[in-house]
Amino acid sequence: MNRTPCPPTPFRRRWATGLAALALAAALPAAWADSGPMLPRHTPSAYLQECGSCHVAYPPGMLPARSWQRLMTGLERHYGSDASLDPATVQQLAGWLQQHAGTYKRVAEEPPQDRLTRSAWFQRKHREIDPAVWRLASVKSAAHCAACHTGAEQGRFDDDGLRFPAGLAPQHRRAFLDD
């Protein structure tokens, strides 16, 4: 029996277009995952409580896996503080951080001393911030993201969520504005 393919009908074209759109929509979350640091949907409460008690609970995508590994094995000397946790919590958080560590170009290299603020992308994004801004009482250090980024606690650091920190001098404000 000789079969000739049926010519495309409007229904078949719509169906194929819909199928292609579904495939694209399914692929987008993977593409967005490397587009910026966001806290994963199921962030362990221990991470938010323990790490977020001293600083913003940084999205794991902000550092490569090797940096997280070093940080989690050195909590007793975490940047001058003892941030020790019980072994079960360390194991849980270390595994979660490894699973969600950054893999995109932003974290291609391990920053000096595994500090986010020393990474090339952080330095580039904040290159116009005057060093005096980091010393403001409302900011304290470059690691205090929430001083300027209103969405930092949710893992959002986009320019749309910026605010001037308290005490910012007028001459330093232009660094916060889009060119």
Side-chain angles (χ1 to χ4, degrees):
M1 176 183 264
N2 190 359
R3 291 188 157 190
T4 45
C6 296
T9 64
F11 173 78
R12 285 189 182 150
R13 276 191 292 260
R14 279 194 305 266
W15 187 81
T17 302
L19 192 58
L22 279 173
L24 178 62
L28 282 177
W32 285 332
D34 280 353
S35 68
M38 298 292 284
L39 281 173
R41 188 173 303 168
H42 300 292
T43 300
S45 59
Y47 184 71
L48 298 173
Q49 291 167 354
E50 298 295 341
C51 302
S53 67
C54 294
H55 55 74
V56 169
Y58 300 113
M62 293 179 114
L63 284 175
R66 185 82 176 105
S67 291
W68 287 120
Q69 182 182 22
R70 280 191 296 271
L71 287 169
M72 292 305 292
T73 58
L75 290 175
E76 68 283 352
R77 57 189 189 289
H78 186 69
Y79 303 113
S81 297
D82 184 352
S84 297
L85 299 169
D86 65 88
T89 302
V90 169
Q91 183 178 8
Q92 175 202 16
L93 297 183
W96 179 79
L97 289 165
Q98 292 293 309
Q99 179 183 0
H100 296 285
T103 58
Y104 42 92
K105 68 181 180 178
R106 174 178 302 167
V107 294
E109 81 225 18
E110 298 164 18
Q113 302 162 339
D114 298 316
R115 290 182 180 268
L116 293 169
T117 58
R118 303 270 318 273
S119 65
W121 65 264
F122 184 95
Q123 295 290 317
R124 183 178 38 79
K125 290 295 284 182
H126 297 87
R127 68 182 170 269
E128 295 190 24
I129 303 295
D130 190 284
V133 174
W134 304 127
R135 294 187 298 270
L136 288 172
S138 63
V139 178
K140 299 180 184 94
S141 81
H144 186 210
C145 306
C148 304
H149 294 277
T150 60
E153 298 291 335
Q154 294 79 37
R156 290 193 317 270
F157 301 92
D158 57 325
D159 293 344
D160 294 336
L162 283 176
R163 68 170 164 232
F164 295 135
L168 184 68
Q171 69 266 27
H172 297 139
R173 291 180 181 234
R174 81 172 185 285
F176 286 76
L177 305 173
D178 288 334
D179 294 336

